[in-house]
Amino acid sequence: MDITTNPSAPVRLLDRVRQEIRLRHYSIRTEDAYVQWIRRFILFHEKRHPLDMNAVEVTAFLSHLAVERTVSASTQNQAKAALLFLYKQVLQVDLPWLEEVVVAKKAQRLPVVLTQREIQGLLQNLSGVTGMVAHLLYGTGMRLLEGQLAAVKSPHPNPSPTTWARGF
């Protein structure tokens, strides 16, 4: 949706959120996630405008996610970040520290770490676009979506990591 088609019309809230996110160069995935969380927050409170709500409503929504919906801690934190972005960056309303939020339980997981030899073996067994993207992600630290978008833009039908490193 083009949010600049009619400059005289008032800008809708979610379009303002998108503008602020794009102004700060957040990823498109972050934009989508934040807009969805803000939409859910508004619907949870029966379509009330966020300016008519405050920290009490934010706390109720985030606690609902943890208690009723039993979302993971990272999911709840993403929703919280989206709402804080809405209030601080879009609406310019400073919310007090949200102490009343029931925090979702954090999963007890250890990260899987591969040795350099295991990584080398893995990368040697990948070929074609998959291998190229794997080399690119490992070598540059790009996110998966960035690597996929870069691979789609490649002019070569069967690019190799060497071709990729030379800039196509």
Side-chain angles (χ1 to χ4, degrees):
M1 167 195 277
D2 185 11
I3 54 181
T4 60
T5 53
N6 186 357
S8 63
V11 181
R12 297 178 58 185
L13 179 65
L14 294 180
D15 291 335
R16 286 177 51 205
V17 170
R18 287 185 183 94
Q19 285 176 340
E20 289 296 324
I21 288 173
R22 291 173 187 174
L23 182 70
R24 288 166 175 74
H25 303 287
Y26 286 24
S27 78
I28 189 70
R29 293 276 175 103
T30 302
E31 177 182 328
D32 291 341
Y34 277 23
V35 167
Q36 286 302 315
W37 281 119
I38 293 165
R39 180 177 285 131
R40 289 177 186 148
F41 171 68
I42 292 168
L43 292 175
F44 178 79
H45 289 292
E46 300 173 353
K47 299 185 180 181
R48 288 172 52 203
H49 194 281
L51 280 176
D52 298 333
M53 298 185 272
N54 57 32
V56 174
E57 284 85 357
V58 173
T59 300
F61 177 69
L62 295 174
S63 296
H64 164 78
L65 292 177
V67 176
E68 306 294 323
R69 301 279 310 276
T70 60
V71 300
S72 70
S74 63
T75 300
Q76 186 190 36
N77 284 334
Q78 185 182 56
K80 182 178 179 180
L83 296 177
L84 289 175
F85 181 87
L86 169 68
Y87 278 96
K88 286 185 179 180
Q89 305 301 329
V90 179
L91 301 175
Q92 277 88 40
V93 174
D94 197 26
L95 291 177
W97 180 246
L98 301 172
E99 297 174 7
E100 306 299 319
V101 175
V102 175
V103 181
K105 290 184 181 179
K106 290 195 177 203
Q108 296 284 329
R109 281 188 254 155
L110 292 176
V112 176
V113 179
L114 301 177
T115 64
Q116 286 184 342
R117 180 176 283 165
E118 291 169 327
I119 295 286
Q120 292 291 331
L122 178 68
L123 292 175
Q124 287 174 354
N125 287 313
L126 297 173
S127 62
V129 175
T130 304
M132 179 197 60
V133 172
H135 279 86
L136 182 66
L137 296 178
Y138 181 70
T140 64
M142 275 187 181
R143 293 178 176 176
L144 181 59
L145 180 62
E146 294 167 329
Q148 290 171 330
L149 291 174
V152 168
K153 294 177 183 177
S154 173
H156 296 282
N158 295 314
S160 69
T162 306
T163 306
W164 187 266
R166 289 190 205 129
F168 305 104

